[in-house]
């Protein structure tokens, strides 16, 4: 009789505040001691995709914005206050986790936080969001929320997805991640999972018409 093969794996999704950049190993040993087991993979929840949008290599050390260091840049959890992680700290953390046998993943959301000038009092997240300079990529969701729409095109007609793919490949390679983990506003983007809440902007309708070859009524495709 064949022995059943264990196909279960354990993955953890955690922000950087779960570790400690002040330690030589970035808090990896203490983290594993608290867990009491070795996970198969760890997704480091970096939240803001600007870690990809602004990535230009690791030759120069720079401090990551607060919303890469913790979810929405929240200032503390039950254990410690938010720390100013650098891109080099993150690379060292990824290396330490990979050396312990955990596949590491870059965890991102497509949330658009600083919605100025739409909000009278926009959030202060410690850096200028890339989407502020690329508003054509913000989803025109019928629910009224604002976020990245990964299916949209830049003003010059090129696709965001092609830009992101090239940038994220380099970022993953430079930091040493095993892969990518995307969540809210990447799949599905901004809709809450329902088609009726989708983005029916000129760009998205234009892409649909070009792809499908359908001839839509004039009142639907009008600007």
């Amino acid at each position: 009789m064949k022995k059943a093969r264990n196909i279960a794996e354990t993955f953890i999704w955690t922000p950087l505040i779960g570790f400690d950049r002040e330690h030589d190993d970035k808090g990896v040993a203490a983290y594993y001691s608290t867990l009491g087991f070795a996970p198969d993979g760890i997704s480091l929840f970096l939240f803001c995709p600007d870690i990809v949008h602004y990535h230009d290599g690791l030759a120069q050390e720079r401090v990551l914005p607060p919303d890469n260091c913790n979810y929405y840049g929240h200032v503390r959890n039950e254990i410690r206050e938010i720390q100013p992680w650098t891109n080099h700290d993150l690379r060292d953390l990824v290396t330490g986790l990979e050396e312990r046998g955990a596949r590491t993943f870059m965890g991102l959301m497509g949330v658009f936080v600083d919605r100025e000038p739409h909000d009278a009092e926009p959030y202060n997240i410690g850096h200028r969001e890339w989407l502020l300079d690329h508003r054509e990529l913000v989803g025109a969701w019928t629910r009224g929320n604002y976020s990245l729409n990964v299916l949209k095109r830049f003003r010059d007609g090129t696709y965001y997805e092609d830009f992101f793919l090239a940038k994220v490949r380099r970022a993953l390679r430079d930091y040493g991640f095993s892969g990518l983990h995307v969540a809210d506003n990447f799949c599905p983007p901004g809709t809450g999972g329902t088609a009726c809440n989708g983005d029916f902007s000129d760009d998205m309708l234009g892409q649909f018409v070009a792809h499908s070859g359908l001839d839509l009524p004039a009142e639907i495709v009008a600007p």
Side-chain angles (χ1 to χ4, degrees):
M1 183 175 179
K2 275 190 175 182
K3 184 178 180 181
R5 183 167 62 94
N6 182 13
I7 60 173
E9 292 183 310
T10 302
F11 288 79
I12 294 175
W13 194 16
T14 183
L16 294 184
I17 201 171
F19 299 91
D20 191 344
R21 70 174 293 269
E22 300 299 330
H23 289 200
D24 290 341
D25 70 346
K26 307 307 173 190
V28 170
Y31 188 82
Y32 270 71
S33 177
T34 300
L35 282 181
F37 69 94
D40 298 287
I42 294 180
S43 173
L44 294 175
F45 186 26
L46 301 172
F47 181 62
C48 179
D50 283 356
I51 195 163
V52 172
H53 297 150
Y54 286 128
H55 183 71
D56 60 355
L58 297 179
Q60 182 175 354
E61 186 171 18
R62 64 180 180 87
V63 177
L64 300 176
D67 56 338
N68 284 149
C69 301
N70 198 23
Y71 181 54
Y72 276 103
H74 291 166
V75 297
R76 66 180 61 85
N77 65 6
E78 298 86 348
I79 300 172
R80 66 178 58 87
E81 294 190 355
I82 191 173
Q83 297 173 316
W85 286 75
T86 70
N87 54 348
H88 289 182
D89 291 332
L90 177 58
R91 177 192 58 195
D92 294 344
L93 173 61
V94 170
T95 299
L97 291 171
E98 292 274 348
E99 287 177 349
R100 278 191 172 248
R103 286 168 284 165
T104 58
F105 297 84
M106 177 184 283
L108 302 176
M109 288 185 176
V111 177
F112 185 26
V113 178
D114 194 351
R115 302 167 190 166
E116 177 278 326
H118 300 288
D119 290 344
E121 297 181 5
Y123 293 99
N124 178 12
I125 53 171
H127 81 289
R128 182 176 179 83
E129 284 190 277
W130 183 84
L131 272 177
L132 281 172
D133 300 314
H134 300 281
R135 289 186 176 275
E136 69 273 23
L137 302 176
V138 176
W141 314 118
T142 56
R143 292 195 306 173
N145 61 328
Y146 301 96
S147 69
L148 171 68
N149 184 346
V150 301
L151 302 178
K152 284 194 147 182
R153 294 175 288 188
F154 289 100
R155 292 184 184 91
D156 64 3
T158 58
Y159 286 87
Y160 169 80
E161 56 204 70
D162 294 330
F163 164 83
F164 179 79
L165 184 60
K167 294 285 285 189
V168 78
R169 278 176 167 166
R170 182 182 180 188
L172 294 175
R173 182 175 61 249
D174 287 349
Y175 283 110
F177 284 103
S178 290
L180 176 68
H181 170 206
V182 293
D184 298 25
N185 305 117
F186 272 90
C187 49
T191 66
T194 56
C196 66
N197 289 327
D199 179 342
F200 299 102
S201 61
D202 291 349
D203 181 20
M204 296 308 299
L205 277 177
Q207 290 189 51
F208 174 79
V209 170
H211 177 74
S212 66
L214 296 176
D215 188 14
L216 299 180
E219 62 268 24
I220 293 180
V221 296

